[in-house]
Amino acid sequence: MHELPLVFFTVLAQGTVGLFLVLASLLMANSDALRQQLLNKLLLVVLVLLGISGAAAMTHLGQPLRAINVIFGLEHLSALSVEIITTALFGGAVFTYVAMVHFGILAKLQKLVLAGAMVLGVLLLLAIANVYTLATVPAWNSGWTIFQFVMTAFVVGIPAAALMLRSQSASLGAFQKNTDRALATLGFIALGLVLVGYPLYLFWLGQVDLPANPLGLFDYHGRLMLARLGLLFAGLGVWVMAATRGNNSSTGLAGVSTVLVLTAELCGRIFFYDLHMFASGM
């Protein structure tokens, strides 16, 4: 599949934004020095994941050295240029915040930089969705594209944040357990939204005037969508039920849940990219 690097880039970038928003929100709400120190260390994982997603996107370029040409696209607000620049600004803001904390620079401005990075993260989610909301691809040209991309940030970011916090449970103590239960509640809400939203999206897709049944475009499409829903339910459902029943420190369970939902979103994104076959004029 030619778009496989973009499948990994979009899913990893969106999940990374979700993870960052959870960790940044906890940093904003906490004044305890030890907790802040541990949460700041976890932000290094955000930078690593964002770097991996960016590397995946670069492999999609035929001439990577020409990536600098993206700057010229800003002249006419190219959606692709805006996406790449927003990705760079988000990564740069997170890096700047981490560096400021590590070297103790301008302590009074650190929270402001963190808040700016949170805004850029949200803008990145919208910028990626804007690239694919194309009038020439009817199967993409709707609010369902934004819904799917934003939900990827939630369903991947929330269990990933729980996994990161559980890895520090010995140091964070009761704070980690209380936060885990709160994240499980958010995970339950996210699970409800996707289990309602994704079938509605498929129903909408069936109403769009397309030359063929999108679920029958390739032999594996039906299995792909069933796998997405099944993996999402298993990944989020098992973790949420265990967390609400008092299992708030097992990194293995949170790790398996994160892998399952990440795999589910990759399945959904492969199906999404296959729909470009319905572009006008093809």
Side-chain angles (χ1 to χ4, degrees):
M1 183 184 180
H2 180 62
E3 293 83 7
L4 204 53
L6 296 180
V7 169
F8 281 96
F9 163 67
T10 56
V11 170
L12 281 178
Q14 291 155 6
T16 300
V17 169
L19 170 62
F20 170 74
L21 290 177
V22 173
L23 296 177
S25 297
L26 293 174
L27 273 167
M28 285 290 190
N30 265 280
S31 56
D32 182 90
L34 176 60
R35 291 173 192 164
Q36 287 198 342
Q37 185 180 15
L38 289 171
L39 290 169
N40 283 324
K41 285 183 180 178
L42 294 180
L43 286 184
L44 292 174
V45 177
V46 171
L47 289 173
V48 171
L49 292 176
L50 195 62
I52 293 173
S53 67
M58 291 293 285
T59 63
H60 185 261
L61 298 176
Q63 297 290 336
L65 293 179
R66 293 182 181 176
I68 192 67
N69 291 339
V70 69
I71 296 175
F72 302 115
L74 290 177
E75 184 179 355
H76 49 88
L77 290 179
S78 159
L80 184 59
S81 293
V82 171
E83 177 200 45
I84 295 173
I85 293 297
T86 308
T87 303
L89 289 175
F90 170 64
V94 177
F95 178 82
T96 300
Y97 171 77
V98 171
M100 289 174 72
V101 170
H102 182 75
F103 294 106
I105 302 171
L106 300 173
K108 292 183 178 179
L109 292 181
Q110 291 173 5
K111 286 289 180 69
L112 185 61
V113 174
L114 184 64
M118 294 173 76
V119 173
L120 287 169
V122 174
L123 291 178
L124 175 56
L125 295 179
L126 298 177
I128 296 175
N130 189 47
V131 171
Y132 300 98
T133 310
L134 301 172
T136 53
V137 186
W140 289 357
N141 190 31
S142 80
W144 286 111
T145 295
I146 299 175
F147 172 78
Q148 291 189 87
F149 285 12
V150 171
M151 287 312 299
T152 296
F154 280 100
V155 300
V156 176
I158 292 173
L163 173 61
M164 294 294 101
L165 293 172
R166 288 186 178 197
S167 70
Q168 304 297 321
S169 60
S171 301
L172 291 172
F175 169 78
Q176 180 272 319
K177 289 182 171 56
N178 292 333
T179 304
D180 195 81
R181 283 192 283 270
L183 290 176
T185 302
L186 289 177
F188 178 75
I189 295 172
L191 179 61
L193 287 174
V194 296
L195 290 181
V196 172
Y198 289 168
L200 286 175
Y201 160 67
L202 294 177
F203 176 78
W204 169 83
L205 199 56
Q207 311 307 307
V208 180
D209 185 18
L210 299 174
N213 178 7
L215 288 176
L217 188 60
F218 293 109
D219 291 339
Y220 58 79
H221 271 180
R223 297 192 297 273
L224 207 58
M225 295 313 294
L226 284 175
R228 180 190 199 183
L229 290 173
L231 289 169
L232 271 174
F233 184 78
L236 284 177
V238 171
W239 165 63
V240 166
M241 283 190 293
T244 53
R245 292 185 176 186
N247 183 350
N248 300 111
S249 58
S250 171
T251 55
L253 180 61
V256 170
S257 293
T258 302
V259 170
L260 289 178
V261 295
L262 185 60
T263 306
E265 290 307 283
L266 291 172
C267 290
R269 199 55 49 84
I270 290 172
F271 173 74
F272 175 84
Y273 274 102
D274 280 347
L275 295 179
H276 85 279
M277 297 294 291
F278 292 123
S280 301
M282 296 188 69

